[in-house]
């Protein structure tokens, strides 16, 4: 496996923030920034969801990722079954350690639990978090 590309800014796109007009993407510099999207099994089981809803959610994420790739955005997409992380927190921790970004940026998560995880991971890594 090739080493992770180092990122100036690691821009996190969450599964409920699939907006092509996001200011997060508008400010992306493809020469040294990286977009990260993660499918995490724990997010499908944290609150009960119908299997059809989960499938639709993941399909939407994958279509958005395909559009980002077509537009030339530097993207790291961790699909379920391609990584060993059960949670967003574990995946973020690993990717931040591997990519050593100067900062992590995201649009404010709609779930305080997700924001708390992100603050914890960035704090532990000593990486600035811009929300």
């Amino acid at each position: 496996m090739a080493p992770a590309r180092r990122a100036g800014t690691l821009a996190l796109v969450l599964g409920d923030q699939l907006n092509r007009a996001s200011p997060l993407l508008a400010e992306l510099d493809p020469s040294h920034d990286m977009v990260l999207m993660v499918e995490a099994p724990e997010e499908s089981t944290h609150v009960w969801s119908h299997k059809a809803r989960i499938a639709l959610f993941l399909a939407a994420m994958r279509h958005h990722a395909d559009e980002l790739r077509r537009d030339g955005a530097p993207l790291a997409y961790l699909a379920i079954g391609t990584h060993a992380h059960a949670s967003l927190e574990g995946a973020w921790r690993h990717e931040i350690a591997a990519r050593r970004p100067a900062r992590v940026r995201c649009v404010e998560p709609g779930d305080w639990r997700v924001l708390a995880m992100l603050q914890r991971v960035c704090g532990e890594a000593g990486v600035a978090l811009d929300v």
Side-chain angles (χ1 to χ4, degrees):
M1 182 197 280
R5 175 178 171 247
R6 184 160 185 190
T9 295
L10 189 60
L12 300 181
V13 174
L14 302 175
D16 61 352
Q17 299 177 345
L18 308 179
N19 180 356
R20 296 290 293 128
S22 171
L24 184 67
L25 299 174
E27 297 175 13
L28 190 72
D29 180 348
S31 66
H32 36 27
D33 297 339
M34 173 71 66
V35 176
L36 174 63
M37 295 178 70
V38 177
E39 295 178 9
E42 180 182 272
E43 293 303 304
S44 297
T45 60
H46 176 71
V47 175
W48 183 89
S49 293
H50 192 282
K51 287 180 183 179
R53 180 186 180 277
I54 295 167
L56 182 63
F57 195 85
L58 295 176
M61 286 182 67
R62 292 173 184 184
H63 283 285
H64 186 71
D66 288 344
E67 289 177 2
L68 290 174
R69 284 186 196 101
R70 272 195 301 272
D71 291 347
L75 174 67
Y77 190 92
L78 281 62
I80 289 175
T82 66
H83 63 88
H85 311 290
S87 67
L88 291 173
E89 186 169 0
W92 293 338
R93 187 172 282 116
H94 177 267
E95 290 297 309
I96 288 169
R99 296 180 190 286
R100 301 181 337 263
R103 68 182 179 156
V104 172
R105 293 190 73 224
C106 71
V107 172
E108 185 174 7
D111 183 344
W112 69 267
R113 173 188 62 88
V114 174
L115 180 58
M117 277 192 292
L118 188 52
Q119 290 169 330
R120 182 171 47 252
V121 169
C122 288
E124 290 169 0
V127 174
L129 172 62
D130 295 338
V131 178

